[in-house]
């Protein structure tokens, strides 16, 4: 098999894989928006020994239970306010611990990353096979 053709096939496969992941992310966000429960969460600080700088989000689910959700390492970059601030949270009715911040940056950044990675893979494959 020709090396250029193999490289094109590998880059196309990688691009299609990233594209599928991005579409799955968009479908999950859409499903959460349609079937999810919207709540107001409060940003609380982490414990003193934790090295991560972003806070946690605490909210009350539809049954009155307190739920604490970790927004991850990039919470501040995705629109998480400072400690004490409030943020909208959306969660599936049967799994409140799978809550997500209901902010465009937090919801769409994984899909945008997938689309960007698939575009780079497609362009890389087509440019190297010329």
């Amino acid at each position: 098999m020709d090396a250029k053709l193999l490289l094109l096939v590998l880059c196309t496969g990688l691009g299609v894989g990233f594209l599928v992941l991005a579409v799955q992310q968009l479908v999950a966000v859409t499903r959460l928006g349609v079937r999810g429960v919207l709540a107001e969460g409060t940003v609380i600080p982490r414990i003193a020994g934790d090295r991560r700088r972003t806070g946690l989000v605490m909210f009350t689910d539809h049954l009155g239970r307190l739920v604490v959700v970790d927004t991850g390492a990039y919470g501040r970059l995705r629109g998480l306010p400072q400690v004490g601030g409030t943020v909208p949270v959306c969660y599936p009715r049967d799994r409140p611990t799978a809550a997500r911040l209901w902010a465009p940056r937090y919801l769409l950044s994984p899909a945008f990353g997938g689309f960007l990675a698939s575009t780079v893979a497609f362009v890389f494959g087509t440019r190297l096979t010329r």
Side-chain angles (χ1 to χ4, degrees):
M1 184 181 259
D2 188 28
K4 287 186 178 183
L5 181 62
L6 180 64
L7 184 62
L8 180 63
V9 168
L10 287 175
C11 288
T12 303
L14 187 66
V16 168
F18 280 126
L19 192 61
V20 167
L21 289 175
V23 169
Q24 283 179 347
Q25 178 67 28
L26 286 177
V27 168
V29 167
T30 305
R31 186 179 299 135
L32 182 63
V34 170
R35 297 181 183 170
V37 177
L38 194 61
E40 191 73 22
T42 305
V43 180
I44 59 173
R46 293 186 180 268
I47 59 174
D50 200 348
R51 294 183 183 183
R52 292 176 283 187
R53 295 182 180 182
T54 60
L56 302 169
V57 176
M58 182 177 66
F59 66 96
T60 305
D61 68 354
H62 63 285
L63 297 175
R65 300 175 294 196
L66 285 177
V67 180
V68 177
V69 177
D70 188 2
T71 58
Y74 302 107
R76 196 175 284 165
L77 294 175
R78 293 182 181 169
L80 187 67
Q82 297 293 328
V83 173
T86 59
V87 64
V89 176
C90 193
Y91 63 93
R93 186 172 288 279
D94 56 343
R95 292 182 310 144
T97 56
R100 296 176 143 202
L101 296 181
W102 199 246
R105 282 187 287 180
Y106 190 78
L107 294 171
L108 299 178
S109 61
F112 177 73
F115 283 122
L116 185 65
S118 69
T119 303
V120 168
F122 285 137
V123 169
F124 184 75
T126 57
R127 294 292 177 191
L128 286 181
T129 57
R130 283 188 171 187

